[in-house]
Amino acid sequence: MTYHLDAATELTPKGNGGFAYAGGGAYLNFDTAFGGGVMALAVGAIQCFAGYFLIWASVTGLIRKPPVPLMCLFMFLAAQSQTFFNTANVVSAVENFADYGGTAIGIMKGFLGLSGAILIQLYETLCAGDPASFILLLAVTPTVLSLLVMPLVR
């Protein structure tokens, strides 16, 4: 059975709990190679906090002003955390909702846009007028939420 996520992406289950990703030929063996979705969420949380915290620290003057390539590395680190969150979500949804994997993933992608709107509302409510606080909010909120939902992922 192959799960068609969209026109260009499909996942094929393997016998040992992994998936073959047809788009790039990569093999994801989540349960044995990486420690499962919990490990992916943990790595994503660490990357998210480290990247956004270092950006916040450089914006507020907590650390010296970094050169542009180093600031780009901080931004890359923060943005790359979303890959780990998405991987944990997609694999967990496809394993748990085998018949409705595409629907579950579509709902998750819809909530991704909603979460951005929620973060903007939190910023407007808690720290309006202070963009540095928004960067700190981006460092703390996704990290804490990921750590809180880790026990629910299987």
Side-chain angles (χ1 to χ4, degrees), residues 20-150:
Y21 172 60
Y27 179 71
L28 302 174
N29 190 344
F30 230 55
D31 294 330
T32 57
F34 300 113
V38 173
M39 181 61 75
L41 286 174
V43 170
I46 291 167
Q47 279 190 338
C48 181
F49 183 77
Y52 281 119
F53 182 78
L54 290 170
I55 294 170
W56 173 79
S58 63
V59 166
T60 58
L62 191 62
I63 61 174
R64 262 185 320 132
K65 181 180 173 183
V68 173
L70 188 57
M71 183 61 94
C72 289
L73 179 67
F74 297 162
M75 288 187 278
F76 174 76
L77 190 63
Q80 184 64 24
S81 66
Q82 295 301 318
T83 305
F84 285 92
F85 295 147
N86 285 336
T87 301
N89 292 340
V90 166
V91 171
S92 179
V94 169
E95 286 179 348
N96 291 325
F97 307 105
D99 294 336
Y100 301 101
T103 303
I105 292 167
I107 291 170
M108 286 188 301
K109 296 302 177 185
F111 278 115
L112 184 63
L114 186 60
S115 68
I118 291 170
L119 284 172
I120 295 293
Q121 290 302 315
L122 281 174
Y123 166 70
E124 289 291 330
T125 304
L126 300 176
C127 45
D130 186 15
S133 296
F134 183 62
I135 299 171
L136 185 60
L137 187 73
L138 289 175
V140 173
T141 306
T143 302
V144 169
L145 288 175
S146 295
L147 294 175
L148 287 175
V149 300
M150 262 195 229

